[in-house]
Amino acid sequence: ALFPCVSLFRLKDLEVPKLGDSDVHVKMLAAPINPADINMIQGTYAILSPLPAVGGNEGVGEVLEVGSRVSALKPGDWVIPADAGLGTWRTRGVFPEEMLLKVPSDIPVLCAATLSVNPCTAIRMLTDFETLAPGDSVIQNAANSGVGQAVIQIARASGVKTINVVRDRPDLPQLVERLMALGADHVVTEEMLRKPEMKDIFKSTPKPRLALNCVGGKSTTEMLRHLQPKGTMVTYGGMAKQPVMVPVSAFIFRDVRLRGFWMTQWRKDHAQDQESVAGMMDTLCQLIRRGQLTAPACTEIPLQDYRAALEASMKPFVSSKQILLL
């Protein structure tokens, strides 16, 4: 077994629990498989669900029925998880109202299913660390990830240029073409970060004030070399499973700032601040409606083929997000 954690899953038929006064009965429509879902199963993530648990932290469902005290939701509404740990890989669920966020049902189902993790992470990182103005630039690695694709599009919509770093791969020209079509200004491989050609990029694009890192190791150190003095690098993942190495000179002579970001923590910090959550969701839905933010490349897989979907999501160089259709 190449991916031992796949064997931890079973497809089970369960009774739908009784609907309490503050509960919402949801028919799940679609739910993606994200790296964090796999990390949770492997036990390498900061959240552990008590077992047996239902996998999946993201997805979209349709409200079938609401308890007598539920006022903000009604049958027919679309909902997404308000927080991690909901367990979205199921056909039906009964959840307390506060665990759900209403989203408009006039956006594509795959956009709604992939809304609560990657685009939210992207918009927070572009907003909360540096004040970027039109014409400024941002550099990011793993630019073909779900977050990376959202960063490209959200930055593009606000006039911010993106320098996108990807790993070299057999289908590199197709990948470059796809990211350019999303609105990427530059796409470079990790190897190119060291090359003199980078100077050509900075003739037309200013040096970035913000770097977004979800890789770690050498990729990150190389990316950091191009950051403006007093610029910020935000780390939100560590796919290379290696630490972030920073040359002393970057600290002393360029005073770079290193920060971290975890969407789950942001949600905890803003649990009482429904306005900023609603505002963020509204901004993202507006971008989707205007065609400025699309779902990442997706492969739709019926729930009964969940094993194949899990295995596909763990293969290297996957440029497509596996989405379970429920």
Side-chain angles (χ1 to χ4, degrees), residues 85-220:
L86 190 70
T88 53
W89 300 345
R90 62 173 105 207
T91 54
R92 300 261 171 119
V94 170
F95 309 107
E97 176 183 19
E98 70 269 12
M99 291 177 75
L100 303 168
L101 284 179
K102 182 177 166 176
V103 292
S105 54
D106 65 344
I107 60 174
V109 72
L110 293 182
C111 287
T114 54
L115 186 59
S116 64
V117 179
N118 296 335
C120 289
T121 302
I123 201 167
R124 294 272 50 102
M125 293 195 302
L126 286 169
T127 313
D128 295 354
F129 296 92
E130 289 280 344
T131 310
L132 298 173
D136 283 345
S137 82
V138 42
I139 188 168
Q140 62 165 347
N141 54 23
N144 58 313
S145 67
V147 172
Q149 293 176 54
V151 164
I152 290 171
Q153 297 173 84
I154 296 165
R156 180 61 178 267
S158 47
V160 171
K161 299 187 162 192
T162 56
I163 301 162
N164 300 282
V165 186
V166 296
R167 285 183 297 175
D168 200 1
R169 63 193 64 217
D171 61 346
L172 186 66
Q174 289 95 306
L175 177 61
V176 171
E177 202 175 308
R178 235 184 60 219
L179 297 183
M180 298 300 265
L182 287 180
D185 294 280
H186 306 279
V187 182
V188 297
T189 62
E190 293 186 346
E191 294 71 31
M192 268 182 71
L193 283 174
R194 284 214 79 120
K195 302 262 166 70
E197 290 95 286
M198 288 301 288
K199 286 200 182 63
D200 296 339
I201 286 181
F202 297 123
K203 282 176 189 154
S204 61
T205 303
K207 288 224 162 189
R209 303 227 321 260
L210 180 66
L212 305 177
N213 163 50
C214 80
V215 179
K218 220 175 105 169
S219 159
T220 308

Side-chain angles (χ1 to χ4, degrees), residues 10-325:
R10 301 280 179 281
L11 204 52
K12 266 196 158 13
D13 284 319
L14 304 170
E15 289 284 309
V16 174
K18 213 164 114 27
L19 191 72
D21 290 346
S22 309
D23 288 343
V24 179
H25 181 186
V26 178
K27 170 184 187 283
M28 291 304 296
L29 301 171
I33 300 177
N34 290 318
D37 302 328
I38 306 288
N39 297 147
M40 270 173 90
I41 300 152
Q42 292 165 333
T44 58
Y45 203 64
I47 308 173
L48 277 175
S49 301
L51 297 173
V54 180
N57 291 291
E58 192 180 31
V60 62
E62 183 185 333
V63 175
L64 293 177
E65 198 185 351
V66 299
S68 56
R69 287 214 200 107
V70 174
S71 56
L73 294 169
K74 59 182 191 309
D77 284 348
W78 277 14
V79 288
I80 62 174
D83 211 342
L86 190 70
T88 53
W89 300 345
R90 62 173 105 207
T91 54
R92 300 261 171 119
V94 170
F95 309 107
E97 176 183 19
E98 70 269 12
M99 291 177 75
L100 303 168
L101 284 179
K102 182 177 166 176
V103 292
S105 54
D106 65 344
I107 60 174
V109 72
L110 293 182
C111 287
T114 54
L115 186 59
S116 64
V117 179
N118 296 335
C120 289
T121 302
I123 201 167
R124 294 272 50 102
M125 293 195 302
L126 286 169
T127 313
D128 295 354
F129 296 92
E130 289 280 344
T131 310
L132 298 173
D136 283 345
S137 82
V138 42
I139 188 168
Q140 62 165 347
N141 54 23
N144 58 313
S145 67
V147 172
Q149 293 176 54
V151 164
I152 290 171
Q153 297 173 84
I154 296 165
R156 180 61 178 267
S158 47
V160 171
K161 299 187 162 192
T162 56
I163 301 162
N164 300 282
V165 186
V166 296
R167 285 183 297 175
D168 200 1
R169 63 193 64 217
D171 61 346
L172 186 66
Q174 289 95 306
L175 177 61
V176 171
E177 202 175 308
R178 235 184 60 219
L179 297 183
M180 298 300 265
L182 287 180
D185 294 280
H186 306 279
V187 182
V188 297
T189 62
E190 293 186 346
E191 294 71 31
M192 268 182 71
L193 283 174
R194 284 214 79 120
K195 302 262 166 70
E197 290 95 286
M198 288 301 288
K199 286 200 182 63
D200 296 339
I201 286 181
F202 297 123
K203 282 176 189 154
S204 61
T205 303
K207 288 224 162 189
R209 303 227 321 260
L210 180 66
L212 305 177
N213 163 50
C214 80
V215 179
K218 220 175 105 169
S219 159
T220 308
T221 312
E222 293 301 339
M223 194 166 68
L224 204 58
R225 291 156 53 110
H226 301 295
L227 202 56
Q228 267 191 37
K230 293 200 186 324
T232 305
M233 181 171 79
V234 183
T235 293
Y236 68 100
M239 288 169 15
K241 298 187 169 54
Q242 289 162 347
V244 168
M245 307 286 275
V246 182
V248 170
S249 61
F251 277 129
I252 298 174
F253 302 123
R254 290 195 292 127
D255 187 20
V256 298
R257 287 151 175 56
L258 299 194
R259 301 285 306 273
F261 182 76
W262 188 32
M263 194 63 219
T264 301
Q265 186 61 46
W266 188 93
R267 290 192 195 285
K268 276 199 191 80
D269 296 345
H270 293 81
Q272 302 315 312
D273 177 8
Q274 278 318 297
E275 270 174 45
S276 44
V277 178
M280 170 174 71
M281 287 318 203
D282 196 45
T283 304
L284 291 170
C285 289
Q286 292 289 8
L287 288 171
I288 291 168
R289 284 198 196 93
R290 288 202 223 93
Q292 293 178 305
L293 178 62
T294 54
C298 293
T299 305
E300 302 172 50
I301 296 196
L303 180 61
Q304 56 270 26
D305 300 336
Y306 72 93
R307 282 213 157 93
L310 281 166
E311 290 191 359
S313 72
M314 287 185 262
K315 293 201 173 90
F317 299 125
V318 179
S319 288
S320 185
K321 198 177 271 296
Q322 307 294 310
I323 306 253
L324 297 169
L325 294 184

